[in-house]
Amino acid sequence: MLTFTIRRLVLAVPTLLFISLVIFGLLQLAPGDPMAQVPLTVPPEVKEKMREALGLGDAWYIQFWKWIVQFFWVEPQVLVDYVFGTSFSEDKLRVLSWQTRSPVMEIVIQRIPQTLWVVGTAYVVAVLIALPIGIYSAYKQYSVFDNIGTFISMIGFSVPPFFSGVLVIVIFSVILGWFPSIYDTTHQVTDWDSFVVQLRQMIMPVMVLALQVTAQIARFMRASTLDNLNQDYVRTARAKGLGERVVVLSHVVRNSMIPVVTVIALGIPQIFGGAIITEQVFKVNGIGQLLITAIQANDLPMVQTLTFIFAVLIVLFNLIADVLYGILDPRIRYD
Amino acid sequence: MTDNSTQQPQIEPGPGEAQAADILVAPMPTTPPRSQWAEVWSQFRHHKGAMVGAVVFFLIVAIVFLGPFFWTIEATYIDIRARNQGPSLAHPFGTDQLGRDMLARMMAGGQVSMSVGIVAMLLALFLGSFVGVLAGYFKALDNLLMRTTDLFLALPLLPLLLVMVMLFRDPLSKAFGPETGIFILIVVAIGLTSWMPTARIVRGDVLALKEREFVLAARSIGTTNGMMVIRHILPNVISPIVVSATLGIANAIITESALSFLGLGFPPDFPTWGRLLFDAVDYMQQNPERVILPGVAISLTVLSVNYLGDGLRDALDPRIRGR
């Protein structure tokens, strides 16, 4: 198991390098000029100097190498300095945003908590709803509950978040006026009342994000439980006189969870992608919204870093899913 | 029959012949033999969700593409006196902030969304089948192609799509005009980022097919690799390809609408369902129906396509067929 994990970790390195190269290559083709915003009164030779200061004069592989050094060598040093109070990263150039001229990672760190709060809550809520629905609809296959559940999960698949988000805003904010339509990230939770306010503003984004995930996971859980319900060991468990509760909850569910756990792990990077749209709908200033504004402002270092962070998430959770699969199911260990 | 007569030589020829004739006659099927597609169709017909999905999908396609012949108001015709109207007889879906008829815009937007969905699906399908067949059929290419597929699966697709649109929007709209340029860009971008699942499924099926006897037989009479793939392998992997085609349409329509919704899709005066939804968000307090209509159109199309795909998967799977 350990060798397998290590092998996968080693394989992740070229994958990430390839992805960063793809992103970098795409951005190199960018026609957008970061100097476009500079006033026309600035003489061309000054512009040329500014361009060099941004590192634009170098060949692409030198720029790529610089970015890699900054991202993988300087940024971790900054983190170490921040945690332990050392000074490794003094005077070293960090990845700078062209919009704000400040380090990209600092802005990302400011934005990540909002995304994590909304996305994390949505994911937990979705999983907690999806699992019982999946188990029960498999247990009562073709019942009314199962048919309704299947239909709702089909709808969850088909209704895109930019519509469900706008729809709940129309229903709950415009018509009923229950919840605010905009997520206020400056809000601080200090007492019960402010907690209620926080809860009210989180309900809609969480609901929208959770709908899709619930649909997906409930379907997987249903299929997996159905597979297991017809197995011999279930008949054995019933034959030796165990109650239905024990048979389903401790025998069937535990085995059906194996593929579902990996689906849950693989869904995490996806939901970050979905958060890009949800954040745009509810005006949450998380990393998804940061990416959109960076794209519109032609802020290439920011776009590159954010896209790469998304890629790291995908590769990381793929790895976690693979390793979890091996731990949970000894039959399919790769060593 | 010949076996029967040689094993029992003691029986006189008369009754033996009669018996053989009996056996020949008795199990003669009364119904004519049915082709594979007739079987698939009869199975598909019994899947209620799939039938409803198919009817709804073809209805939407028909309305969107044939509707403009009957509803002749131009989608871009501006009647500023009639702006922001609710549904009425003259404008069944109301009008937008410039007084353009929403029904005409919905149909025009549907044409674009559907065309993008179908063309992008075809591109993804072609790429996916091509990579899948190559990887499954030629062992030397398998490892390389599948690692590439894995790498593509690890790419963050939505951010990359956004980046691609941002980067190539201007050069392409200069080269082909704003509408065609963006159409090409979005179709290619979606196609390039959604071929991987098809490639994996097709490769798996080709790997299994390659070991079958009919492939060996075909090879023994001297079939070349190219003919083998076209005549023997491809027709046998058509069913996973058809199923991923339906899912591909749904995926492409949603992606295109998401891009339009984020403001990185088609230009503002060029309606698509996602763009109409995006434009209507600012007016959702006064005219909530303007948000709901394109949203329902997208969701209904995707829902019907998903049900269609579900039914097709069941109908094309010989293990489920006949149940």
Side-chain angles (χ1 to χ4, degrees):
Chain A
M1 201 59 227
L2 190 70
T3 48
F4 169 69
T5 313
I6 292 170
R7 202 165 61 218
R8 284 307 311 258
L9 263 176
V10 171
L11 250 176
V13 174
T15 311
L16 283 176
L17 272 180
F18 168 79
I19 293 171
S20 57
L21 192 64
V22 167
I23 299 167
F24 188 82
L26 261 179
L27 293 181
Q28 277 300 303
L29 300 168
D33 184 7
M35 295 287 111
Q37 302 295 324
V38 176
L40 289 171
T41 47
V42 175
E45 57 269 23
V46 179
K47 264 193 187 173
E48 202 49 48
K49 280 207 176 120
M50 288 166 81
R51 200 180 284 279
E52 268 167 37
L54 287 173
L56 284 170
D58 300 328
W60 68 269
Y61 47 87
I62 295 176
Q63 287 187 41
F64 182 55
W65 175 247
K66 274 186 179 164
W67 181 79
I68 293 222
V69 169
Q70 284 169 354
F71 192 84
F72 289 102
W73 186 240
V74 180
E75 293 296 337
Q77 286 179 339
V78 174
L79 187 70
V80 169
D81 289 354
Y82 180 75
V83 175
F84 300 107
T86 50
S87 54
F88 287 118
S89 63
E90 262 179 32
D91 298 337
K92 284 179 184 156
L93 191 63
R94 303 178 63 183
V95 186
L96 291 183
S97 158
W98 287 350
Q99 272 173 299
T100 59
R101 310 278 183 239
S102 59
V104 166
M105 283 313 276
E106 267 174 26
I107 306 170
V108 173
I109 298 286
Q110 285 168 9
R111 298 296 190 92
I112 272 186
Q114 286 89 288
T115 303
L116 277 185
W117 256 111
V118 177
V119 169
T121 325
Y123 211 66
V124 172
V125 168
V127 170
L128 287 181
I129 297 174
L131 294 185
I133 291 180
I135 296 166
Y136 193 73
S137 22
Y139 189 64
K140 302 262 179 200
Q141 197 189 1
Y142 301 133
S143 66
V144 178
F145 182 88
D146 181 25
N147 282 331
I148 293 174
T150 312
F151 183 67
I152 289 178
S153 65
M154 268 297 197
I155 289 183
F157 265 132
S158 311
V159 180
F162 49 83
F163 177 50
S164 53
V166 173
L167 192 66
V168 291
I169 288 182
V170 168
I171 295 174
F172 293 110
S173 301
V174 176
I175 299 177
L176 296 173
W178 289 355
F179 308 121
S181 72
I182 291 177
Y183 187 93
D184 175 13
T185 37
T186 57
H187 182 71
Q188 298 277 331
V189 178
T190 48
D191 53 356
W192 177 251
D193 285 340
S194 61
F195 176 71
V196 172
V197 172
Q198 173 73 10
L199 206 62
R200 280 184 48 195
Q201 68 175 359
M202 272 183 77
I203 284 180
M204 288 202 302
V206 166
M207 206 157 66
V208 167
L209 269 176
L211 175 71
Q212 281 202 310
V213 186
T214 311
Q216 221 165 6
I217 295 177
R219 257 171 90 98
F220 271 107
M221 191 69 207
R222 176 176 178 272
S224 167
T225 313
L226 270 181
D227 275 353
N228 272 285
L229 274 172
N230 296 323
Q231 299 273 322
D232 289 341
Y233 75 85
V234 178
R235 199 179 310 125
T236 313
R238 284 192 178 131
K240 70 181 184 186
L242 292 180
E244 277 299 290
R245 224 187 148 73
V246 181
V247 170
V248 174
L249 289 186
S250 62
H251 285 65
V252 174
V253 169
R254 276 175 112 176
N255 280 297
S256 329
M257 282 302 288
I258 295 170
V260 177
V261 164
T262 64
V263 171
I264 292 174
L266 288 178
I268 292 175
Q270 265 184 19
I271 198 177
F272 274 97
I276 295 177
I277 291 164
T278 318
E279 283 177 1
Q280 198 70 11
V281 172
F282 292 101
K283 313 277 189 288
V284 184
N285 61 344
I287 50 171
Q289 202 248 0
L290 186 64
L291 177 70
I292 301 285
T293 45
I295 283 178
Q296 279 160 354
N298 244 325
D299 182 359
L300 297 190
M302 179 79 89
V303 173
Q304 180 165 13
T305 311
L306 280 173
T307 321
F308 190 67
I309 289 175
F310 280 111
V312 170
L313 279 174
I314 294 178
V315 172
L316 181 72
F317 281 101
N318 271 337
L319 187 73
I320 291 176
D322 274 2
V323 172
L324 268 181
Y325 212 73
I327 292 175
L328 289 173
D329 192 347
R331 285 171 302 183
I332 53 123
R333 282 195 192 155
Y334 301 81
D335 46 13
Chain B
M1 292 308 100
T2 45
D3 276 353
N4 201 6
S5 51
T6 47
Q7 273 165 13
Q8 300 166 316
Q10 70 270 36
I11 295 173
E12 58 271 45
E17 290 282 284
Q19 205 179 5
D22 265 358
I23 295 168
L24 249 180
V25 170
M28 193 65 130
T30 47
T31 50
R34 297 206 290 175
S35 73
Q36 185 201 359
W37 295 106
E39 288 284 340
V40 168
W41 168 241
S42 81
Q43 174 72 23
F44 184 78
R45 244 182 2 203
H46 290 286
H47 196 297
K48 262 189 219 135
M51 280 308 280
V52 175
V55 170
V56 170
F57 179 66
F58 288 113
L59 210 64
I60 294 175
V61 172
I63 291 174
V64 155
F65 283 98
L66 300 179
F69 292 110
F70 301 98
W71 189 256
T72 45
I73 300 180
E74 281 282 316
T76 47
Y77 174 71
I78 296 174
D79 181 7
I80 202 77
R81 284 166 204 279
R83 65 177 186 273
N84 287 331
Q85 281 184 352
S88 65
L89 214 58
H91 304 287
F93 285 178
T95 54
D96 71 354
Q97 70 275 10
L98 294 175
R100 291 174 290 195
D101 181 60
M102 276 301 283
L103 178 58
R105 285 177 75 72
M106 285 282 292
M107 290 192 294
Q111 282 176 15
V112 179
S113 292
M114 287 279 182
S115 321
V116 167
I118 291 168
V119 179
M121 175 272 289
L122 287 177
L123 181 65
L125 220 56
F126 174 75
L127 275 176
S129 316
F130 187 70
V131 172
V133 167
L134 278 189
Y137 193 77
F138 300 103
K139 211 172 196 155
L141 292 173
D142 189 17
N143 206 11
L144 175 76
L145 285 177
M146 282 298 113
R147 290 294 80 76
T148 317
T149 312
D150 287 348
L151 285 176
F152 265 87
L153 278 170
L155 290 172
L157 295 182
L158 189 58
L160 262 193
L161 272 173
L162 295 174
V163 171
M164 276 160 91
V165 174
M166 161 184 98
L167 297 183
F168 299 110
R169 190 163 44 175
D170 293 338
L172 275 176
S173 32
K174 265 184 208 137
F176 297 100
E179 283 145 29
T180 332
I182 298 285
F183 186 85
I184 293 174
L185 171 63
I186 288 187
V187 162
V188 170
I190 295 176
L192 280 183
T193 50
S194 58
W195 54 270
M196 294 82 75
T198 318
R200 280 193 156 181
I201 299 169
V202 169
R203 169 188 171 259
D205 275 25
V206 172
L207 274 181
L209 276 175
K210 214 172 58 170
E211 305 302 322
R212 296 271 291 275
E213 287 82 359
F214 71 87
V215 175
L216 191 67
R219 186 174 299 290
S220 71
I221 58 169
T223 314
T224 57
N225 278 335
M227 280 319 273
M228 182 81 91
V229 167
I230 291 167
R231 293 288 300 273
H232 300 284
I233 303 280
L234 271 183
N236 281 296
V237 290
I238 199 80
S239 58
I241 294 180
V242 168
V243 173
S244 34
T246 56
L247 300 179
I249 292 186
N251 178 35
I253 289 178
I254 286 202
T255 313
E256 183 273 316
S257 314
L259 287 177
S260 294
F261 184 78
L262 293 172
L264 286 159
F266 284 89
D269 53 345
F270 196 59
T272 74
W273 283 340
R275 183 83 216 183
L276 289 175
L277 182 59
F278 177 62
D279 289 342
V281 168
D282 295 338
Y283 299 88
M284 76 187 155
Q285 277 186 311
Q286 299 91 341
N287 302 73
E289 80 276 354
R290 230 191 275 163
V291 175
I292 292 170
L293 283 171
V296 167
I298 297 169
S299 310
L300 201 62
T301 313
V302 174
L303 187 67
S304 65
V305 172
N306 275 342
Y307 264 109
L308 185 69
D310 231 31
L312 273 179
R313 182 175 14 218
D314 286 359
L316 289 169
D317 189 345
R319 285 169 303 180
I320 302 180
R321 207 183 295 155
R323 272 206 303 197

